[in-house]
Amino acid sequence: MEKKLHQFSKAFLPCGIVSLAIIIFGIVGLVTKGINFGIDFKPGLIEEIRIAPAVAELTYNGTAKVTVDSYKTGLDFVISGTGAENETVSYAYADYATVKDLVNAINVNGVKVVLKNDGAEASSKIFLNSAVTTVLSKNPLYIYAGNEDTSVEQVREALSSLSGISVKALGDQGYQIRMAATEEETNMNLQNSVTDTLGAAFGEEKIAIVKTDFIGSNFSKSLAKKSVILLIVTIALIWFYAAIRFHWDFALGAIIALLHDALIMFAFIVWTRMEFTTTVLAAVLTIVGYSINDTVVILDRVRSNLRLKKVDNFNQLLDRSLSDTLGRSIITTVTTLFAVISLYVFTTGSIKDFALALMVGLVSGCYSSLFISSGFISLFRKNWKQEYGIHHSLKTDVGVLQMDSGVTV
Protein backbone atom coordinates (compact mmCIF):
# COMPACT_ATOMS: atom_id res chain seq x y z
CA MET A 1 0.00 0.00 0.00
CA GLU A 2 1.46 3.31 -1.10
CA LYS A 3 1.74 6.14 1.36
CA LYS A 4 -0.30 9.31 0.92
CA LEU A 5 1.15 11.50 -1.79
CA HIS A 6 2.10 15.02 -0.63
CA GLN A 7 2.64 17.81 -3.14
CA PHE A 8 6.10 18.88 -1.93
CA SER A 9 6.98 20.27 -5.34
CA LYS A 10 4.51 23.13 -4.92
CA ALA A 11 6.61 24.41 -1.98
CA PHE A 12 9.99 24.23 -3.73
CA LEU A 13 9.94 27.81 -5.03
CA PRO A 14 8.47 29.50 -1.89
CA CYS A 15 10.91 27.63 0.35
CA GLY A 16 13.80 28.59 -1.90
CA ILE A 17 12.80 32.26 -1.68
CA VAL A 18 12.50 32.12 2.14
CA SER A 19 15.87 30.40 2.48
CA LEU A 20 17.52 32.88 0.15
CA ALA A 21 16.10 35.77 2.21
CA ILE A 22 17.45 34.25 5.47
CA ILE A 23 20.88 33.64 3.91
CA ILE A 24 21.05 37.23 2.58
CA PHE A 25 20.00 38.44 6.03
CA GLY A 26 22.85 36.40 7.50
CA ILE A 27 25.37 37.79 4.98
CA VAL A 28 24.27 41.34 5.83
CA GLY A 29 24.82 40.56 9.51
CA LEU A 30 28.21 39.06 8.74
CA VAL A 31 29.28 42.22 6.89
CA THR A 32 27.83 44.71 9.38
CA LYS A 33 28.26 42.90 12.71
CA GLY A 34 30.81 40.18 12.02
CA ILE A 35 31.19 36.86 13.79
CA ASN A 36 31.51 36.97 17.56
CA PHE A 37 34.66 34.86 17.71
CA GLY A 38 35.23 33.11 21.01
CA ILE A 39 38.55 33.01 22.78
CA ASP A 40 39.51 29.87 20.84
CA PHE A 41 40.03 32.15 17.85
CA LYS A 42 41.52 35.12 19.71
CA PRO A 43 44.91 35.69 21.29
CA GLY A 44 44.77 35.27 25.03
CA LEU A 45 45.49 33.21 28.12
CA ILE A 46 44.75 29.55 28.83
CA GLU A 47 45.33 28.69 32.46
CA GLU A 48 44.64 25.67 34.63
CA ILE A 49 44.10 26.55 38.26
CA ARG A 50 43.14 24.70 41.40
CA ILE A 51 41.49 26.13 44.48
CA ALA A 52 42.83 24.16 47.41
CA PRO A 53 43.91 24.67 51.01
CA ALA A 54 47.62 25.03 51.73
CA VAL A 55 48.38 21.96 53.83
CA ALA A 56 51.98 22.84 54.68
CA GLU A 57 54.64 25.48 54.16
CA LEU A 58 58.37 25.11 53.61
CA THR A 59 61.09 27.62 54.44
CA TYR A 60 64.87 27.47 54.19
CA ASN A 61 67.48 29.24 56.23
CA GLY A 62 70.85 28.66 54.66
CA THR A 63 73.29 29.69 51.94
CA ALA A 64 72.69 26.90 49.40
CA LYS A 65 70.13 26.84 46.61
CA VAL A 66 67.45 24.35 47.58
CA THR A 67 64.51 23.55 45.29
CA VAL A 68 61.38 21.43 45.61
CA ASP A 69 59.76 19.30 42.90
CA SER A 70 56.42 17.58 43.27
CA TYR A 71 54.29 18.18 40.21
CA LYS A 72 56.73 16.94 37.54
CA THR A 73 57.65 13.61 39.08
CA GLY A 74 54.17 12.56 40.15
CA LEU A 75 55.56 9.73 42.32
CA ASP A 76 57.96 11.48 44.67
CA PHE A 77 58.40 14.64 46.66
CA VAL A 78 61.93 15.78 45.86
CA ILE A 79 64.15 18.28 47.66
CA SER A 80 67.34 19.13 45.78
CA GLY A 81 70.25 21.25 46.98
CA THR A 82 73.34 22.72 45.37
CA GLY A 83 76.38 24.31 46.89
CA ALA A 84 76.72 23.69 50.62
CA GLU A 85 73.65 21.44 50.58
CA ASN A 86 74.68 19.41 47.54
CA GLU A 87 72.25 16.53 47.88
CA THR A 88 68.92 15.33 46.52
CA VAL A 89 66.42 13.66 48.82
CA SER A 90 63.32 11.90 47.47
CA TYR A 91 60.29 10.89 49.49
CA ALA A 92 58.10 8.35 47.67
CA TYR A 93 54.39 8.91 48.17
CA ALA A 94 53.94 5.16 48.40
CA ASP A 95 56.01 5.16 51.61
CA TYR A 96 54.10 8.02 53.26
CA ALA A 97 50.34 7.67 53.07
CA THR A 98 49.35 11.11 54.36
CA VAL A 99 50.72 14.62 54.19
CA LYS A 100 51.45 14.44 57.92
CA ASP A 101 53.55 11.31 57.44
CA LEU A 102 55.53 13.00 54.67
CA VAL A 103 56.08 16.21 56.65
CA ASN A 104 57.31 14.26 59.66
CA ALA A 105 59.78 12.38 57.43
CA ILE A 106 61.39 15.45 55.82
CA ASN A 107 64.79 15.99 57.36
CA VAL A 108 67.01 18.30 55.31
CA ASN A 109 69.49 20.65 56.90
CA GLY A 110 68.07 24.19 57.00
CA VAL A 111 64.64 23.20 55.68
CA LYS A 112 61.67 23.72 57.97
CA VAL A 113 58.23 22.25 57.25
CA VAL A 114 55.11 23.36 59.12
CA LEU A 115 51.70 21.72 58.85
CA LYS A 116 48.79 24.10 58.36
CA ASN A 117 46.08 21.55 59.16
CA ASP A 118 45.83 17.99 60.46
CA GLY A 119 47.69 16.61 57.41
CA ALA A 120 45.13 13.89 56.77
CA GLU A 121 45.13 14.36 52.98
CA ALA A 122 46.78 11.67 50.87
CA SER A 123 50.39 12.54 50.11
CA SER A 124 49.87 11.55 46.44
CA LYS A 125 47.47 14.51 46.10
CA ILE A 126 50.24 17.03 46.78
CA PHE A 127 50.94 19.71 44.16
CA LEU A 128 52.67 23.09 43.98
CA ASN A 129 51.85 26.48 42.52
CA SER A 130 53.69 26.65 39.18
CA ALA A 131 53.42 30.45 39.15
CA VAL A 132 55.85 30.85 42.05
CA THR A 133 59.47 29.83 42.27
CA THR A 134 60.26 26.46 43.81
CA VAL A 135 63.52 27.76 45.25
CA LEU A 136 63.18 27.71 49.04
CA SER A 137 63.91 30.83 51.07
CA LYS A 138 62.79 32.48 54.29
CA ASN A 139 59.50 33.25 52.59
CA PRO A 140 57.15 30.25 52.88
CA LEU A 141 56.51 28.01 49.89
CA TYR A 142 53.03 26.52 50.16
CA ILE A 143 52.23 22.87 49.52
CA TYR A 144 48.70 22.08 48.37
CA ALA A 145 46.63 18.90 48.45
CA GLY A 146 43.09 18.04 47.40
CA ASN A 147 40.58 20.71 46.37
CA GLU A 148 38.45 23.33 48.04
CA ASP A 149 34.72 22.63 48.01
CA THR A 150 33.89 25.00 45.16
CA SER A 151 31.85 24.74 41.98
CA VAL A 152 32.46 25.99 38.46
CA GLU A 153 29.51 28.37 38.89
CA GLN A 154 31.22 29.99 41.89
CA VAL A 155 34.44 30.42 39.91
CA ARG A 156 32.53 31.97 36.99
CA GLU A 157 30.76 34.31 39.37
CA ALA A 158 34.08 35.33 40.94
CA LEU A 159 35.52 36.14 37.50
CA SER A 160 32.38 37.81 36.13
CA SER A 161 33.99 41.26 36.44
CA LEU A 162 36.58 40.27 33.81
CA SER A 163 35.57 40.44 30.15
CA GLY A 164 36.15 37.80 27.48
CA ILE A 165 36.59 34.92 29.91
CA SER A 166 35.31 31.35 30.05
CA VAL A 167 35.67 28.68 32.73
CA LYS A 168 35.50 24.90 32.33
CA ALA A 169 35.62 22.33 35.12
CA LEU A 170 38.33 19.67 34.83
CA GLY A 171 36.85 17.16 37.25
CA ASP A 172 38.90 16.89 40.42
CA GLN A 173 41.84 18.55 38.66
CA GLY A 174 40.52 22.10 39.04
CA TYR A 175 39.41 24.52 36.33
CA GLN A 176 40.53 25.65 32.91
CA ILE A 177 40.28 29.42 32.44
CA ARG A 178 40.47 31.08 29.03
CA MET A 179 40.70 34.82 28.65
CA ALA A 180 40.94 36.86 25.47
CA ALA A 181 43.61 39.57 25.26
CA THR A 182 43.84 42.89 23.49
CA GLU A 183 47.02 44.00 21.73
CA GLU A 184 48.01 46.11 24.76
CA GLU A 185 47.68 43.29 27.30
CA THR A 186 50.50 40.91 28.13
CA ASN A 187 50.46 37.36 29.40
CA MET A 188 51.56 38.46 32.86
CA ASN A 189 48.86 41.15 33.10
CA LEU A 190 46.17 38.62 32.23
CA GLN A 191 47.53 36.05 34.66
CA ASN A 192 47.77 38.56 37.50
CA SER A 193 44.21 39.81 36.93
CA VAL A 194 42.84 36.26 37.11
CA THR A 195 44.91 35.32 40.16
CA ASP A 196 44.13 38.52 42.04
CA THR A 197 40.41 38.24 41.35
CA LEU A 198 40.23 34.61 42.46
CA GLY A 199 42.41 35.37 45.48
CA ALA A 200 40.03 38.10 46.57
CA ALA A 201 37.09 35.70 46.29
CA PHE A 202 38.55 32.49 47.77
CA GLY A 203 41.70 33.53 49.59
CA GLU A 204 45.12 34.31 48.17
CA GLU A 205 46.80 31.27 49.72
CA LYS A 206 44.26 28.88 48.16
CA ILE A 207 44.94 29.73 44.50
CA ALA A 208 47.43 27.43 42.81
CA ILE A 209 48.25 27.69 39.10
CA VAL A 210 48.94 24.31 37.55
CA LYS A 211 49.74 25.34 33.98
CA THR A 212 49.73 28.52 31.92
CA ASP A 213 49.78 28.97 28.14
CA PHE A 214 49.47 32.12 26.08
CA ILE A 215 47.96 32.04 22.58
CA GLY A 216 49.49 34.58 20.25
CA SER A 217 47.65 36.40 17.45
CA ASN A 218 49.41 34.34 14.75
CA PHE A 219 48.18 31.09 16.28
CA SER A 220 44.59 32.31 16.63
CA LYS A 221 44.54 33.47 12.99
CA SER A 222 45.97 30.14 11.89
CA LEU A 223 43.26 28.29 13.83
CA ALA A 224 40.52 30.33 12.16
CA LYS A 225 42.04 29.69 8.71
CA LYS A 226 42.33 25.96 9.34
CA SER A 227 38.71 25.82 10.53
CA VAL A 228 37.51 27.32 7.25
CA ILE A 229 39.69 24.90 5.28
CA LEU A 230 38.33 21.99 7.33
CA LEU A 231 34.74 22.96 6.50
CA ILE A 232 35.52 23.33 2.77
CA VAL A 233 37.39 20.01 2.61
CA THR A 234 34.53 18.25 4.43
CA ILE A 235 31.96 19.53 1.95
CA ALA A 236 34.24 18.68 -1.01
CA LEU A 237 34.66 15.08 0.17
CA ILE A 238 30.92 14.71 0.66
CA TRP A 239 30.33 16.03 -2.87
CA PHE A 240 32.87 13.52 -4.20
CA TYR A 241 31.03 10.68 -2.43
CA ALA A 242 27.62 11.83 -3.65
CA ALA A 243 28.87 12.26 -7.23
CA ILE A 244 30.12 8.65 -7.27
CA ARG A 245 26.95 7.21 -5.77
CA PHE A 246 24.44 9.37 -7.68
CA HIS A 247 24.17 11.45 -10.84
CA TRP A 248 25.97 14.81 -10.89
CA ASP A 249 22.77 16.82 -10.44
CA PHE A 250 21.80 14.72 -7.40
CA ALA A 251 25.25 15.33 -5.91
CA LEU A 252 25.05 19.07 -6.62
CA GLY A 253 21.59 19.25 -5.01
CA ALA A 254 22.94 17.51 -1.91
CA ILE A 255 25.88 19.94 -1.66
CA ILE A 256 23.59 22.95 -2.10
CA ALA A 257 21.53 21.62 0.82
CA LEU A 258 24.70 21.31 2.93
CA LEU A 259 25.81 24.84 2.10
CA HIS A 260 22.27 26.01 2.87
CA ASP A 261 22.39 24.43 6.34
CA ALA A 262 25.84 25.88 7.09
CA LEU A 263 24.77 29.37 5.99
CA ILE A 264 21.53 29.19 8.00
CA MET A 265 23.51 28.22 11.10
CA PHE A 266 25.98 31.06 10.52
CA ALA A 267 23.09 33.51 10.09
CA PHE A 268 21.74 32.36 13.45
CA ILE A 269 25.19 32.59 15.07
CA VAL A 270 25.79 36.10 13.68
CA TRP A 271 22.47 37.64 14.70
CA THR A 272 22.22 36.00 18.13
CA ARG A 273 25.86 37.00 18.82
CA MET A 274 26.64 33.48 19.94
CA GLU A 275 30.34 33.00 20.58
CA PHE A 276 31.88 31.10 17.70
CA THR A 277 34.21 28.62 19.37
CA THR A 278 35.66 25.27 18.35
CA THR A 279 32.65 23.69 20.08
CA VAL A 280 30.22 25.59 17.83
CA LEU A 281 32.37 24.66 14.82
CA ALA A 282 31.97 21.02 15.87
CA ALA A 283 28.18 21.56 15.84
CA VAL A 284 28.35 22.91 12.26
CA LEU A 285 30.40 19.92 11.09
CA THR A 286 28.02 17.56 12.93
CA ILE A 287 25.06 19.02 11.05
CA VAL A 288 26.92 18.73 7.74
CA GLY A 289 27.28 15.00 8.35
CA TYR A 290 23.75 14.62 9.69
CA SER A 291 22.15 16.51 6.81
CA ILE A 292 23.88 14.52 4.07
CA ASN A 293 22.70 11.31 5.72
CA ASP A 294 19.08 12.44 5.50
CA THR A 295 19.54 13.69 1.95
CA VAL A 296 21.19 10.46 0.77
CA VAL A 297 18.22 8.43 2.05
CA ILE A 298 15.83 10.60 0.01
CA LEU A 299 18.01 10.52 -3.11
CA ASP A 300 18.32 6.75 -2.82
CA ARG A 301 14.52 6.50 -2.81
CA VAL A 302 14.34 8.80 -5.85
CA ARG A 303 16.79 6.58 -7.70
CA SER A 304 14.80 3.49 -6.72
CA ASN A 305 11.52 5.04 -7.87
CA LEU A 306 13.09 5.88 -11.22
CA ARG A 307 12.95 2.17 -11.95
CA LEU A 308 9.54 1.46 -10.49
CA LYS A 309 7.27 4.47 -11.02
CA LYS A 310 5.83 5.70 -14.27
CA VAL A 311 5.33 9.46 -14.07
CA ASP A 312 4.70 12.37 -16.40
CA ASN A 313 7.39 14.69 -14.96
CA PHE A 314 10.21 14.60 -12.46
CA ASN A 315 8.30 16.59 -9.83
CA GLN A 316 5.82 13.73 -9.52
CA LEU A 317 8.70 11.36 -8.89
CA LEU A 318 10.12 13.70 -6.24
CA ASP A 319 6.73 14.03 -4.56
CA ARG A 320 6.38 10.25 -4.35
CA SER A 321 9.93 9.76 -3.03
CA LEU A 322 9.61 12.53 -0.43
CA SER A 323 6.25 11.16 0.70
CA ASP A 324 7.77 7.69 1.10
CA THR A 325 10.60 9.01 3.31
CA LEU A 326 8.71 11.75 5.18
CA GLY A 327 7.99 9.63 8.25
CA ARG A 328 11.59 8.52 8.52
CA SER A 329 12.90 12.10 8.18
CA ILE A 330 10.58 13.49 10.85
CA ILE A 331 11.08 10.66 13.34
CA THR A 332 14.87 10.76 12.99
CA THR A 333 14.97 14.52 13.49
CA VAL A 334 12.55 14.58 16.44
CA THR A 335 14.24 11.76 18.34
CA THR A 336 17.63 13.42 17.86
CA LEU A 337 16.14 16.71 19.04
CA PHE A 338 15.07 15.06 22.31
CA ALA A 339 18.71 14.37 23.18
CA VAL A 340 19.89 17.79 22.01
CA ILE A 341 17.18 19.64 23.96
CA SER A 342 18.23 17.72 27.07
CA LEU A 343 21.79 18.92 26.54
CA TYR A 344 20.54 22.49 26.18
CA VAL A 345 18.39 22.37 29.31
CA PHE A 346 20.73 20.56 31.66
CA THR A 347 24.15 21.95 30.68
CA THR A 348 25.89 25.30 30.78
CA GLY A 349 28.70 27.10 28.99
CA SER A 350 30.00 25.95 25.62
CA ILE A 351 27.96 22.71 25.64
CA LYS A 352 24.78 24.78 25.86
CA ASP A 353 25.85 26.76 22.78
CA PHE A 354 26.73 23.48 21.06
CA ALA A 355 23.21 22.13 21.75
CA LEU A 356 21.52 25.35 20.59
CA ALA A 357 23.47 25.38 17.33
CA LEU A 358 22.59 21.70 16.82
CA MET A 359 18.88 22.40 17.30
CA VAL A 360 18.94 25.04 14.57
CA GLY A 361 20.97 22.76 12.31
CA LEU A 362 18.72 19.72 12.83
CA VAL A 363 15.60 21.64 11.85
CA SER A 364 17.40 23.24 8.90
CA GLY A 365 18.83 19.87 7.82
CA CYS A 366 15.43 18.18 7.72
CA TYR A 367 13.92 21.16 5.90
CA SER A 368 16.72 21.39 3.31
CA SER A 369 16.61 17.67 2.55
CA LEU A 370 12.89 17.90 1.79
CA PHE A 371 12.70 21.21 -0.06
CA ILE A 372 16.07 22.75 -0.95
CA SER A 373 17.97 19.74 -2.29
CA SER A 374 14.86 18.40 -4.05
CA GLY A 375 14.00 21.86 -5.38
CA PHE A 376 17.37 22.25 -7.08
CA ILE A 377 17.23 18.75 -8.53
CA SER A 378 13.78 19.59 -9.89
CA LEU A 379 15.24 22.71 -11.50
CA PHE A 380 18.06 20.74 -13.11
CA ARG A 381 15.61 18.15 -14.50
CA LYS A 382 12.75 20.38 -15.58
CA ASN A 383 13.03 18.94 -19.12
CA TRP A 384 13.45 15.36 -17.92
CA LYS A 385 11.68 12.57 -19.82
CA GLN A 386 10.80 9.16 -18.41
CA GLU A 387 12.75 7.25 -21.05
CA TYR A 388 15.95 9.21 -20.35
CA GLY A 389 15.58 8.84 -16.62
CA ILE A 390 15.13 5.05 -16.79
CA HIS A 391 17.91 4.65 -19.29
CA HIS A 392 20.31 6.66 -17.16
CA SER A 393 19.41 4.97 -13.88
CA LEU A 394 19.49 1.35 -15.03
CA LYS A 395 22.36 1.38 -17.48
CA THR A 396 24.93 -1.12 -16.26
CA ASP A 397 28.28 -2.53 -17.31
CA VAL A 398 26.64 -5.89 -18.03
CA GLY A 399 24.56 -4.66 -20.93
CA VAL A 400 21.04 -3.50 -21.73
CA LEU A 401 18.09 -4.73 -19.72
CA GLN A 402 14.48 -5.12 -20.77
CA MET A 403 11.54 -4.20 -18.52
CA ASP A 404 8.23 -6.10 -18.67
CA SER A 405 6.60 -3.05 -20.22
CA GLY A 406 8.83 -3.44 -23.24
CA VAL A 407 10.62 -0.14 -22.73
CA THR A 408 14.31 -0.33 -23.64
CA VAL A 409 16.51 0.63 -20.68
Side-chain angles (χ1 to χ4, degrees):
M1 181 179 178
E2 288 192 349
K3 296 181 179 180
K4 181 180 178 181
L5 183 64
H6 301 280
Q7 300 296 322
F8 288 95
S9 57
K10 293 182 178 180
F12 288 164
L13 182 59
C15 287
I17 294 173
V18 170
S19 292
L20 182 61
I22 295 174
I23 291 171
I24 292 175
F25 187 58
I27 294 174
V28 171
L30 182 63
V31 173
T32 58
K33 302 170 74 69
I35 297 177
N36 181 25
F37 284 108
I39 54 179
D40 294 341
F41 297 96
K42 294 179 180 178
L45 175 74
I46 300 179
E47 190 171 66
E48 291 183 18
I49 64 103
R50 295 178 72 171
I51 302 174
V55 295
E57 61 180 42
L58 281 78
T59 55
Y60 175 68
N61 187 12
T63 59
K65 181 180 179 180
V66 179
T67 60
V68 174
D69 185 3
S70 172
Y71 180 76
K72 293 181 180 179
T73 59
L75 299 175
D76 305 277
F77 188 81
V78 180
I79 300 178
S80 302
T82 59
E85 307 292 344
N86 190 14
E87 62 175 331
T88 298
V89 184
S90 298
Y91 300 91
Y93 296 136
D95 297 333
Y96 307 97
T98 66
V99 172
K100 183 177 181 180
D101 294 336
L102 177 63
V103 168
N104 291 335
I106 294 176
N107 183 19
V108 177
N109 187 32
V111 175
K112 182 180 178 180
V113 189
V114 178
L115 273 175
K116 296 181 68 67
N117 60 8
D118 59 7
E121 294 85 353
S123 62
S124 59
K125 300 295 184 180
I126 282 178
F127 61 95
L128 302 175
N129 186 351
S130 66
V132 300
T133 178
T134 58
V135 177
L136 295 182
S137 65
K138 294 181 180 180
N139 297 321
L141 173 69
Y142 294 111
I143 301 174
Y144 301 89
N147 288 295
E148 187 84 352
D149 187 17
T150 57
S151 65
V152 67
E153 287 76 17
Q154 290 176 302
V155 177
R156 287 175 181 149
E157 178 63 25
L159 296 172
S160 59
S161 60
L162 303 179
S163 61
I165 198 164
S166 70
V167 182
K168 181 174 70 175
L170 300 176
D172 62 350
Q173 299 302 310
Y175 307 95
Q176 182 187 76
I177 297 173
R178 295 189 174 201
M179 186 175 182
T182 62
E183 294 183 359
E184 295 78 15
E185 291 176 314
T186 64
N187 183 18
M188 188 56 64
N189 289 338
L190 292 175
Q191 183 174 328
N192 289 339
S193 63
V194 171
T195 304
D196 293 344
T197 304
L198 290 176
F202 301 102
E204 186 178 344
E205 292 183 3
K206 295 181 179 180
I207 308 303
I209 298 173
V210 178
K211 184 172 66 173
T212 301
D213 293 308
F214 189 76
I215 300 177
S217 58
N218 290 336
F219 178 82
S220 59
K221 291 177 182 178
S222 174
L223 181 60
K225 180 179 179 180
K226 289 178 180 178
S227 299
V228 173
I229 293 174
L230 176 62
L231 183 60
I232 293 174
V233 170
T234 300
I235 292 177
L237 290 175
I238 291 175
W239 175 84
F240 181 71
Y241 159 77
I244 292 175
R245 182 166 181 180
F246 303 104
H247 193 252
W248 70 267
D249 53 353
F250 281 27
L252 185 56
I255 293 305
I256 289 173
L258 292 186
L259 292 174
H260 166 274
D261 296 338
L263 291 173
I264 292 295
M265 292 183 71
F266 275 106
F268 177 81
I269 291 168
V270 166
W271 283 103
T272 59
R273 307 311 295 159
M274 178 189 294
E275 274 198 345
F276 187 77
T277 63
T278 51
T279 304
V280 175
L281 175 62
V284 174
L285 293 176
T286 300
I287 290 304
V288 168
Y290 180 91
S291 179
I292 191 62
N293 177 65
D294 200 20
T295 303
V296 163
V297 170
I298 294 173
L299 295 182
D300 196 56
R301 179 55 62 94
V302 174
R303 183 174 61 179
S304 176
N305 284 341
L306 275 169
R307 310 172 184 177
L308 304 175
K309 307 295 181 182
K310 186 175 181 180
V311 293
D312 296 329
N313 56 66
F314 203 77
N315 278 349
Q316 292 179 359
L317 190 69
L318 288 172
D319 288 338
R320 170 48 57 197
S321 302
L322 293 171
S323 298
D324 291 343
T325 56
L326 178 62
R328 180 264 179 201
S329 298
I330 293 177
I331 292 173
T332 303
T333 301
V334 170
T335 52
T336 307
L337 275 173
F338 286 154
V340 175
I341 291 173
S342 298
L343 278 178
Y344 180 77
V345 173
F346 296 109
T347 61
T348 58
S350 59
I351 298 300
K352 198 177 188 73
D353 289 342
F354 173 80
L356 182 58
L358 275 185
M359 281 192 283
V360 174
L362 285 170
V363 175
S364 175
C366 182
Y367 160 82
S368 67
S369 296
L370 292 172
F371 298 104
I372 303 304
S373 175
S374 302
F376 273 92
I377 295 173
S378 172
L379 179 64
F380 297 145
R381 296 207 174 191
K382 61 181 180 180
N383 297 321
W384 175 86
K385 300 297 182 182
Q386 178 81 34
E387 182 179 357
Y388 167 77
I390 298 176
H391 174 77
H392 183 80
S393 299
L394 296 182
K395 187 177 179 181
T396 66
D397 295 334
V398 176
V400 179
L401 304 176
Q402 284 285 40
M403 295 186 67
D404 291 339
S405 61
V407 179
T408 301
V409 294

